[in-house]
Amino acid sequence: MDKNKLFLGFMTAALGLFLLISPETFISFFVILLGIAAVIDGVFILAATRDLIVDPQYKKIVTVRGILSVVIGLLAVLLPKIFISVAWSAMAYTLAVYLLISACLQFYTITKLHRNGIMIRQSMIEVFTSLIIAVVLFIIPSDSIGVFIIRLFGIVLLASGIGLVFMQWHNRPEVIIPDSVETVENKENEIQNNEE
């Protein structure tokens, strides 16, 4: 039995149960995590990618994108603590709009990077990820659809976790405890005694 897989199964089932019981809390947690990620991304953009190519227009767009990322991220983390009831939905929509704008700005910078012979695969993955998360954020805050999707995801995670735990338990090695243990030496002595 793989203890790591067993632990993963329990954790997956617990997360699924959490999504089923309290989808609203998950949305809040998700928004805060995205806010933290946006701040980190903004700092990275300002520190590392602004000077990749010598182009004033590129530098301006990357700077705007980095500052926007930091500001929206900080709002996502701090604002819901101040205005708890309305802020979660508002911040989810704000993050979704930010991700769409950021993807468009980044798509423009990708064309500039590509023309200068810089690898763009990572940036393309980031653009598509931003678009997918934006769509999720537009869907999640609406009470009926968002909660339904989160609960559905919770059911899938709960079932997967329980299935993984059951498989690990079912495939555990069989341990047989013998009634008595005889060594070869004891067996030889017993045979000699019988012969005498």
Side-chain angles (χ1 to χ4, degrees):
M1 180 167 39
D2 189 341
K3 288 182 180 176
N4 290 334
K5 286 184 180 174
L6 189 68
F7 178 73
L8 179 66
F10 279 121
M11 291 304 294
T12 305
L15 179 61
L17 194 61
F18 173 66
L19 294 182
L20 272 173
I21 293 169
S22 184
E24 292 83 8
T25 308
F26 172 76
I27 292 170
S28 310
F29 184 66
F30 186 63
V31 167
I32 288 174
L33 275 182
L34 279 177
I36 292 168
V39 170
I40 293 168
D41 186 46
V43 170
F44 177 76
I45 289 166
L46 291 171
T49 62
R50 205 165 42 156
D51 298 320
L52 280 177
I53 58 174
V54 183
D55 183 338
Q57 202 171 14
Y58 169 82
K59 189 177 276 196
K60 191 185 295 181
I61 287 175
V62 170
T63 304
V64 167
R65 186 171 160 255
I67 292 170
L68 187 67
S69 186
V70 170
V71 169
I72 296 293
L74 286 173
L75 283 174
V77 173
L78 301 175
L79 195 63
K81 292 179 181 178
I82 302 166
F83 308 106
I84 291 174
S85 58
V86 184
W88 294 121
S89 298
M91 273 323 303
Y93 287 129
T94 305
L95 275 169
V97 171
Y98 152 72
L99 286 169
L100 289 176
I101 293 169
S102 177
C104 292
L105 291 173
Q106 190 168 8
F107 193 74
Y108 174 78
T109 58
I110 283 172
T111 57
K112 292 270 190 185
L113 291 172
H114 186 63
R115 281 188 211 145
N116 285 278
I118 296 173
M119 293 286 290
I120 59 168
R121 184 169 175 254
Q122 184 75 29
S123 298
M124 288 298 289
I125 292 169
E126 195 175 325
V127 167
F128 287 120
T129 305
S130 294
L131 291 173
I132 290 167
I133 294 174
V135 170
V136 169
L137 283 171
F138 276 122
I139 293 171
I140 281 180
S142 68
D143 290 336
S144 55
I145 299 171
V147 170
F148 172 74
I149 289 172
I150 290 172
R151 284 206 165 117
L152 191 66
F153 191 56
I155 291 168
V156 170
L157 284 177
L158 184 61
S160 302
I162 291 171
L164 190 59
V165 168
F166 177 75
M167 282 176 46
Q168 289 304 311
W169 178 80
H170 188 267
N171 294 336
R172 72 189 186 286
E174 292 286 331
V175 179
I176 300 171
I177 300 172
D179 293 332
S180 63
V181 178
E182 289 187 10
T183 62
V184 175
E185 202 174 283
N186 287 346
K187 192 74 173 169
E188 286 175 359
N189 288 341
E190 190 179 311
I191 292 170
Q192 283 176 358
N193 289 339
N194 287 343
E195 285 176 355
E196 291 172 1

